Amino acid sequence: MTAAGSTSCVTDDGVPPSAEQPAADSLESPPSPFDAGDFFRQLVANTSEGLLTIDEHSRILFANPAIEEILGYEPAELIGESKMVLIPERLRPAHAAGLEKYLRTGEKHIDWGGIELPALHKDGHEVPVLVSLREHSYEGQRIFTGLFRDISDRKERQRRFEAVFNNTYQLTGLLEPDGTILEVNRTALEFAGVERGEVVGNPLWEAPCFAANEAGRTVARTGVDRASDGDFFRDELRVRGENRTAVIDFSIRPIDHDGGAPQLLVVEGRDVTALKRRERHLQVLHRLLRHNLRNDLNAIHGFAELLLEELECEVDGESADGEADANSPPVDRTDDLCAYVAEIAATATELIETNETAKELAAATLGGEQPREPVVLEDVLAEVIADLRDQYPESVISVTDRTESAGPTIAAADSRLQTVLEEVIDNAVRHTDERPEIEVDVATAETDIAIRVIDNGPGIPEPERTGIFNEEPITQLDHGNGLGLWLVGLVLEEYGGDLEYESGVDGTGGGSCVTIRVPRATDDEDGWNGGDDGREETRTRD
């Protein structure tokens, strides 16, 4: 807009000529029930959008009150001034040239229907505005009216969105429901080695990453079809980039408004190449533990038992066909061979047990997430404790139930909850030198179940807690030797639960407590209707 003219083009009512005299090519409006001059004066004065009228020499003829809110100028300050006072200095030559060319040729160099431009505030800072323009004629003079809308908030939101969108490590894009690419973030463009213009406007399955092989095209098409129907789609596939191939966790999420048909699709690809490589390495180790090492240990254990029988050794008064105990040397202390063989057999037994735990740990790590299901805690706990009482008849294991519900306690877990309870309670029994006395205390909160395993033993040494009960880094000196608690921690983490440790719980500096927290099943999950009968007493089972 470029202006030169005088205030004589403003009517006595203070309304620009454009409001008094419609453009020649506009349709004639029906008679208004209002006084036209007063109606338009009130309309222009009370709109939140700025109105500015200039002549063909860029002189400002009219400004409404909203201009002050947007650009800081009172309307009277602008009348008679050049519109260039509102344009950043770097853009003034382009504005002047654009209007001059339009007046000479009728060719518009910008979109008059609406264009984002920076305007100069009175205090000197720039304000992003959306401007739409119209040309009018008054008494043979060409004049132009611009409608200004402050879009600072929208631009700030857009800036924040772009900052997140373009600085994430994930490959991210925005699609039309038919799969046409609208936007692609910088990470995806750099991975594919393409420019934005090469992919925007094309179907997702024609993008270089997916078009490199038929599997990629098929997954992309299937994902778009599913998401356009309103379903979340997720798969894993290999894609080809400019310099490497990658395995990505690929998903398409539909975005709708008020539950209607999807308006947009968000596509994401998380690079899991390194994770999949580590997973393959773990699978190799898992097979090694499951087959080779287990078979060799069983062979060693079997040969040791045969040697015990061949040497006719007695251990703790039992013949060699009984269970060897490495902590109890043979009766015949003159025969060191029996002691050596008994030690080999006991060590092999211990390593076989460790191998079984390692297998469970690998299965928990590599088996993928299992869906949580309702599990009756009392049933699992009763089975675990019955087995442990059989294994350790000298131990005392009691259960204190502090739950307040009349019905069973339902955990959101799976079959591995039994392993979790076994590992923790067995660990408490086996590491108590004297007569083990174990109390299992069960209580419920609003969202979880706390199972406290309290023992009278010496507690877990601090190095053994590293990385399991705290976030301290594992070192050559500080690390746990057992795998059982690692397995417990991994399973509980997958449940959304927790594992805690406390020492010195018996009041004399001895004893320890391991707390297992597992989520409670919701009403929708458990299918139980065991309401609360308001009981507050403590139920004890021995």
Side-chain angles (χ1 to χ4, degrees):
M1 300 180 307
T2 317
S6 69
T7 57
S8 62
C9 287
V10 182
T11 68
D12 293 338
D13 290 331
V15 181
S18 58
E20 292 266 326
Q21 180 174 327
D25 59 353
S26 65
L27 297 177
E28 183 177 352
S29 301
S32 172
F34 308 106
D35 175 76
D38 181 66
F39 175 79
F40 283 109
R41 183 170 59 252
Q42 294 294 328
L43 179 66
V44 169
N46 290 285
T47 181
S48 62
E49 296 179 331
L51 279 170
L52 201 68
T53 299
I54 65 171
D55 65 14
E56 56 188 314
H57 302 292
S58 290
R59 186 168 300 169
I60 299 173
L61 307 177
F62 172 80
N64 74 335
I67 285 292
E68 183 175 4
E69 295 182 17
I70 299 172
L71 299 177
Y73 288 96
E74 294 183 9
E77 294 181 82
L78 293 176
I79 303 302
E81 294 289 337
S82 169
K83 74 154 187 182
M84 293 301 176
V85 299
L86 304 178
I87 296 173
E89 186 173 356
R90 68 183 186 281
L91 300 177
R92 288 171 186 172
H95 277 259
L99 181 57
E100 186 277 330
K101 182 178 180 181
Y102 174 73
L103 292 172
R104 180 168 44 83
T105 66
E107 181 181 341
K108 300 175 182 177
H109 73 290
I110 59 174
D111 181 7
W112 284 27
I115 185 172
E116 295 182 11
L117 294 170
L120 196 61
H121 194 275
K122 183 179 179 179
D123 65 12
H125 75 273
E126 294 185 8
V127 178
V129 293
L130 180 67
V131 183
S132 59
L133 301 170
R134 291 293 183 271
E135 179 182 357
H136 307 265
S137 176
Y138 182 73
E139 295 182 350
Q141 183 179 6
R142 301 173 73 178
I143 60 175
F144 305 88
T145 295
L147 183 69
F148 290 73
R149 177 179 298 173
D150 186 347
I151 56 172
S152 299
D153 290 343
R154 190 179 81 184
K155 296 294 288 186
E156 178 62 19
R157 288 194 300 272
Q158 181 179 343
R159 185 189 65 80
R160 292 173 181 172
F161 166 78
E162 290 177 351
V164 173
F165 185 74
N166 279 320
N167 288 282
T168 177
Y169 285 109
Q170 295 191 158
L171 315 176
T172 308
L174 197 62
L175 314 176
E176 294 277 13
D178 64 359
T180 301
I181 299 173
L182 295 174
E183 287 293 343
V184 184
N185 74 340
R186 185 181 299 120
T187 303
L189 293 174
E190 290 175 352
F191 174 78
V194 297
E195 298 294 330
R196 178 180 177 276
E198 297 179 61
V199 292
V200 169
N202 297 325
L204 177 66
W205 48 88
E206 291 183 6
C209 289
F210 301 97
N213 59 73
E214 187 60 35
R217 288 192 294 270
T218 299
V219 170
R221 279 181 176 273
T222 302
V224 168
D225 290 342
R226 290 269 299 277
S228 62
D229 288 337
D231 297 327
F232 173 70
F233 176 83
R234 186 177 183 184
D235 201 349
E236 192 175 276
L237 76 155
R238 185 177 296 275
V239 294
R240 182 178 300 170
E242 180 183 26
N243 300 314
R244 65 184 180 92
T245 60
V247 179
I248 62 171
D249 179 1
F250 174 72
S251 65
I252 304 182
R253 185 182 301 276
I255 306 297
D256 57 37
H257 298 291
D258 301 324
Q263 305 297 308
L264 295 169
L265 306 179
V266 176
V267 57
E268 293 179 287
R270 184 167 62 95
D271 189 344
V272 294
T273 308
L275 181 64
K276 300 303 292 185
R277 186 181 300 116
R278 288 195 295 270
E279 185 177 300
R280 287 196 298 273
H281 293 167
L282 285 173
Q283 287 170 343
V284 172
L285 291 175
H286 183 34
R287 288 194 295 272
L288 176 66
L289 290 172
R290 188 172 57 194
H291 297 295
N292 305 57
L293 187 57
R294 183 175 185 272
N295 293 339
D296 291 346
L297 286 172
N298 282 330
I300 293 171
H301 186 268
F303 287 134
E305 288 186 334
L306 287 174
L307 275 173
L308 286 172
E309 292 178 6
E310 192 70 26
L311 294 169
E312 298 181 351
C313 297
E314 291 187 0
V315 181
D316 276 351
E318 295 184 2
S319 61
D321 58 358
E323 183 176 349
D325 185 350
N327 296 319
S328 301
V331 175
D332 184 4
R333 295 183 181 275
T334 62
D335 191 352
D336 290 339
L337 289 177
C338 287
Y340 298 154
V341 176
E343 180 71 22
I344 292 172
T347 303
T349 299
E350 184 178 340
L351 288 174
I352 290 171
E353 292 176 356
T354 301
N355 180 67
E356 292 300 315
T357 303
K359 283 168 55 181
E360 292 187 47
L361 184 64
T365 305
L366 302 173
E369 292 187 6
Q370 300 184 25
R372 296 191 311 185
E373 57 188 15
V375 176
V376 180
L377 177 65
E378 288 86 351
D379 293 348
V380 178
L381 193 55
E383 184 176 349
V384 168
I385 290 177
D387 289 343
L388 291 174
R389 283 173 177 162
D390 290 340
Q391 293 181 49
Y392 308 105
E394 76 284 359
S395 64
V396 176
I397 306 176
S398 62
V399 179
T400 301
D401 188 345
R402 302 182 189 277
T403 60
E404 298 180 356
S405 174
T409 305
I410 311 297
D414 56 35
S415 60
R416 292 175 295 172
L417 181 59
Q418 180 168 342
T419 301
V420 168
L421 297 172
E422 283 176 351
E423 288 291 342
V424 174
I425 302 174
D426 180 82
N427 187 71
V429 174
R430 286 200 293 160
H431 291 86
T432 300
D433 295 332
E434 300 179 359
R435 184 169 182 256
E437 295 181 4
I438 311 299
E439 179 186 354
V440 181
D441 182 283
V442 182
T444 54
E446 183 177 353
T447 60
D448 61 26
I449 305 165
I451 305 149
R452 302 174 73 235
V453 180
I454 306 165
D455 63 56
N456 62 331
I460 303 174
E462 189 169 345
E464 294 282 337
R465 306 177 213 161
T466 302
I468 300 174
F469 297 102
N470 55 49
E471 298 296 328
E472 296 177 11
I474 298 172
T475 67
Q476 290 184 342
L477 297 178
D478 294 327
H479 62 87
N481 292 321
L483 296 176
L485 290 177
W486 283 102
L487 173 62
V488 169
L490 281 173
V491 173
L492 290 178
E493 182 178 335
E494 191 172 315
Y495 289 167
D498 198 9
L499 187 66
E500 301 169 3
Y501 176 77
E502 182 182 0
S503 60
V505 295
D506 65 359
T508 64
S512 63
C513 174
V514 174
T515 301
I516 302 165
R517 296 189 186 276
V518 294
R520 293 182 68 176
T522 63
D523 292 338
D524 292 337
E525 290 173 326
D526 60 37
W528 291 84
N529 191 22
D532 187 350
D533 64 356
R535 292 179 303 155
E536 296 181 354
E537 75 273 14
T538 297
R539 294 171 285 166
T540 302
R541 298 191 297 272
D542 293 326

